[in-house]
Amino acid sequence: MSSTTYDMISMDLGRNGALAIWKDNICVDIRSWSFKNTYVIQDLTKVWNIWVDIIMDNRPIVSVESPSRQMPIQWILYSDLRKMCISFNLEFNGYKPPMIKKTVTGYGRADKDDMKASVLEGEWLTEGLMPKDEHEFDAVGCGICYLKKNGMVK
């Protein structure tokens, strides 16, 4: 078991995805992945192992950006993650992108620059941590959405 227990993980699923790790309402780490041109079992296994290690060691709240039905692989990942959380009696929250955008920026059709600005203007990230791309910003945004929706922050 890790020396620090994490409260929550939030994710942007997909071929290029990211997982934000939270402690005391602050994002303390971000891990990302990028699949090759096609989804292959080795790529899916690598992502699955990241989730399982963090979930089993920490038993965090899990918040995920819900994929659209037109994204079959993301939907499978989302569904499997949800089932895993249910089996381990963990809180699971799925948020559609417009809900995340509205909660984080105030506008449900915000663009990537708006999301980035809103994440950076709050005190959401541990010192020295900077998301590298839109997927990492979206993963952090999903966590902010959970915190705001559940009255944990203003």
Side-chain angles (χ1 to χ4, degrees):
M1 185 173 223
S2 61
S3 59
T4 302
T5 301
Y6 303 116
D7 305 324
M8 176 176 60
I9 58 173
S10 55
M11 289 184 253
D12 173 22
L13 297 175
R15 189 172 145 243
N16 299 306
L19 174 143
I21 302 170
W22 296 78
K23 174 73 177 161
D24 298 327
N25 298 346
I26 301 290
C27 180
V28 297
D29 193 11
I30 301 172
R31 300 184 189 170
S32 58
W33 59 84
S34 180
F35 293 164
K36 298 178 178 107
N37 291 332
T38 58
Y39 291 94
V40 294
I41 196 70
Q42 294 87 354
D43 290 329
L44 294 172
T45 301
K46 182 170 49 172
V47 171
W48 187 256
N49 288 337
I50 292 169
W51 298 347
V52 170
D53 288 345
I54 293 169
I55 288 171
M56 295 307 296
D57 285 349
N58 298 279
R59 304 190 60 75
I61 294 164
V62 177
S63 296
V64 182
E65 181 179 275
S66 302
S68 71
R69 294 280 181 182
Q70 292 80 23
M71 305 168 89
I73 296 297
Q74 288 92 330
W75 192 254
I76 290 168
L77 291 170
Y78 178 88
S79 179
D80 285 350
L81 181 60
R82 183 174 177 273
K83 288 176 194 171
M84 181 170 63
C85 289
I86 289 169
S87 337
F88 290 104
N89 200 28
L90 301 175
E91 183 177 344
F92 179 88
N93 303 277
Y95 299 106
K96 297 209 176 286
M99 173 61 70
I100 296 170
K101 292 174 182 179
K102 175 130 177 85
T103 305
V104 174
T105 70
Y107 179 56
R109 297 184 69 174
D111 63 20
K112 298 294 180 185
D113 290 334
D114 296 329
M115 282 293 289
K116 181 178 179 178
S118 292
V119 166
L120 293 176
E121 75 184 24
E123 294 182 7
W124 304 111
L125 305 169
T126 195
E127 190 173 327
L129 184 65
M130 175 61 71
K132 294 187 229 60
D133 59 33
E134 66 188 59
H135 307 291
E136 291 188 5
F137 277 102
D138 286 348
V140 174
C142 187
I144 295 168
C145 182
Y146 171 83
L147 294 171
K148 287 186 171 187
K149 286 285 185 194
N150 288 280
M152 299 172 85
V153 294
K154 293 181 180 185

